[in-house]
Amino acid sequence: MPVTPVALSHAEDLADFIAASPSSYHAAAEVARRLESAGFTRLHEEDAWPALTGGRYVVVRDGAAIAWSVPADATATTPVQIFGAHTDSPGFKLKPQPTTGSRGWLQAAVEVYGGPLLNSWLDRELRLAGRLALADGRVVLADTGALLRLPQLAIHLDRGVNNGLALDKQTETQPVWGLGDPTEADVLGELASSAGVSATEIRGYDVVLADSARGAVFGKDDAFFASGRLDDLASVHAGVVALAAHEPQDGGPIAVLAAFDHEELGSKSRSGAAGPFLEDVLERLYAGLGADGSARRQAYASSWCLSSDVGHSVHPNYAAKHDPVVQPVLGSGPILKLNANQRYATDAVGTASWRTWCDTAGVVTQEFVSNNSVPCGSTIGPITATRLGIRTVDVGIPILSMHSARELAGVSDLHDLARVAEAFFAG
Ligand code: ZN
């Protein structure tokens, strides 16, 4: 069945969002920028916050962003509906003393970030992007655009390569970015000039590699969407689109978007899901509604968290890696993730609620469960549930090539996820 024009334009908008979000810091800034232009007010953690009834707000902490929309009649015990996702993606991060090279080549020293499919990073035009901490105390975003490449060794020099390619994480992953003498060059200068500052002003940096190619729709009936960082910017984007469209209703819940950093590393950081960011924001949000700790916990007891991250579509060439019966596929709807060992937080009550939100949105859903011999990963859902005690459901969209530099999703699923998120925010 052909995808709808509105699903196609959602995918194009996602391509814009991902192009603007080469690093988690850019993603958090882009979340705030989009929501501010939709009428949200930017708050800063170091300021006093206003009494929060009847408003729409967004706050950024490093590479994470939390935004919320409060109905005018909200009270100290109004529940929250939290849509959770993550801003970071597996790849590479720039090391200290990053300018290297030899044999006439300039190279950049990088460290593996999370669990990327290493060989998917070969032969792509890559950008360096992230944040620079400057001598005057400012922190600025920098993005070089296409600058680097990890060139694969020619087959003539590696005759066995098609029997299996294994890259050494240190010696075979250092990209080239120019020609010349590394003692006379500075890759930080490229970042500095992209940010309009001088390299001598840089006192610290958090900078990653990102594929510079834009996301694209293709395939029969425009079914496919390929892009870097679909994990998990597809979910962050769906949450932003849904929250921007959400009109808070009297008697309705407080709608929250929580986009965390560092999920690919296990979420343990001040901007990760295992850190205090969400709890800090909820505490201040409820204090603005006159809640004490007891009233806040009363609100939590009827609250929900929808934790959205990508999951595995069945792969036609490797079907035996999946459960023999439960085999979600691209284009057949967002997935509900289930795992007996609580790698996902979904339970019976959560399953029933997810089905209700999907029905309300008119969206068909699929289930995901692992093959017992191929255990699944985990995500922010169980961590959020453990921290706050809020009932949590793990969901997402099915993709192929998870953790590749360029992943593959279904166009209709991307838009369907945003539609369910909207139904979820309405309560
Ligand atoms: Zn993920």
Side-chain angles (χ1 to χ4, degrees):
M1 205 170 66
V3 296
T4 60
V6 60
L8 275 175
S9 77
H10 181 91
E12 283 304 327
D13 189 58
L14 172 58
D16 289 341
F17 182 79
I18 292 175
S21 306
S23 75
S24 60
Y25 307 99
H26 286 84
E30 179 65 6
V31 168
R33 189 195 68 76
R34 284 182 171 232
L35 290 176
E36 281 185 88
S37 65
F40 284 65
T41 301
R42 177 82 176 260
L43 298 178
H44 299 275
E45 289 193 273
E46 56 272 34
D47 298 338
W49 288 1
L52 292 170
T53 41
R56 307 162 92 198
Y57 303 94
V58 59
V59 61
V60 169
R61 179 188 285 190
D62 300 335
I66 296 179
W68 61 97
S69 180
V70 188
D73 70 343
T75 71
T77 57
T78 298
V80 276
Q81 301 268 117
I82 304 162
F83 184 90
H86 68 90
T87 54
D88 65 321
S89 303
F92 299 87
K93 192 173 180 201
L94 204 60
K95 283 185 170 183
Q97 302 183 35
T99 306
T100 65
S102 69
R103 310 296 204 277
W105 293 91
L106 299 176
Q107 289 174 279
V110 296
E111 187 174 8
V112 176
Y113 179 95
L117 279 172
L118 294 177
N119 57 10
S120 72
W121 285 79
L122 297 171
D123 298 341
R124 295 174 184 278
E125 289 68 61
L126 305 170
R127 50 212 273 219
L128 275 179
R131 64 176 180 175
L132 310 177
L134 305 181
D136 64 5
R138 281 183 304 146
V139 176
V140 296
L141 296 180
D143 174 10
T144 62
L147 176 72
L148 317 90
R149 181 174 166 115
L150 264 176
Q152 187 170 0
L153 188 60
I155 192 165
H156 317 79
L157 307 180
D158 187 8
R159 289 290 182 189
V161 64
N162 289 330
N163 300 325
L165 172 62
L167 295 175
D168 183 279
K169 282 183 182 172
Q170 178 57 45
T171 58
E172 295 176 337
T173 62
Q174 309 301 300
V176 299
W177 62 277
L179 299 166
D181 179 349
T183 64
E184 290 166 6
D186 182 8
V187 74
L188 294 179
E190 303 292 322
L191 280 157
S193 69
S194 79
V197 301
S198 122
T200 56
E201 294 177 77
I202 300 175
R203 287 290 178 273
Y205 51 87
D206 292 305
V207 169
V208 296
L209 284 184
D211 186 9
S212 64
R214 185 183 160 83
V217 172
F218 67 107
K220 180 176 182 300
D221 299 328
D222 291 336
F224 300 150
F225 181 76
S227 174
R229 308 184 294 288
L230 287 174
D231 178 3
D232 185 28
L233 294 182
S235 297
V236 176
H237 174 257
V240 169
V241 167
L243 190 62
H246 172 66
E247 293 288 346
Q249 300 294 326
D250 280 356
I254 299 162
V256 178
L257 168 66
F260 298 106
D261 201 352
H262 301 135
E263 190 275 343
E264 301 294 348
L265 314 177
S267 295
K268 290 193 183 105
S269 76
R270 76 181 210 107
S271 50
F277 187 29
L278 178 58
E279 198 171 3
D280 291 349
V281 168
L282 291 178
E283 228 177 273
R284 296 179 74 171
L285 190 170
Y286 276 102
L289 295 171
D292 59 13
S294 170
R296 194 172 72 242
R297 284 179 185 85
Q298 192 184 335
Y300 288 177
S302 46
S303 295
W304 281 100
C305 175
L306 195 60
S307 155
S308 182
D309 201 349
V310 295
H312 301 294
S313 163
V314 66
H315 192 308
N317 295 346
Y318 306 92
K321 294 284 186 188
H322 300 260
D323 180 82
V325 175
V326 180
Q327 299 197 332
V329 66
L330 265 59
S332 293
I335 50 174
L336 174 72
K337 301 172 168 180
L338 295 134
N339 179 263
N341 299 296
Q342 286 287 305
R343 305 283 290 166
Y344 301 128
T346 309
D347 62 7
V349 183
T351 297
S353 294
W354 166 252
R355 294 195 192 291
T356 302
W357 297 318
C358 288
D359 287 348
T360 305
V363 164
V364 176
T365 179
Q366 319 180 69
E367 292 163 331
F368 172 83
V369 72
S370 287
N371 183 308
N372 285 326
S373 305
V374 191
C376 63
S378 190
T379 180
I380 61 166
I383 296 166
T384 312
T386 302
R387 270 203 72 96
L388 297 174
I390 292 175
R391 288 175 300 183
T392 300
V393 191
D394 272 300
V395 303
I397 53 160
I399 69 167
L400 285 184
S401 313
M402 192 185 294
H403 287 197
S404 165
R406 197 165 173 89
E407 299 166 324
L408 176 65
V411 167
S412 60
D413 302 330
L414 298 165
H415 182 236
D416 283 350
L417 178 65
R419 291 166 64 205
V420 186
E422 246 189 276
F424 169 73
F425 283 146

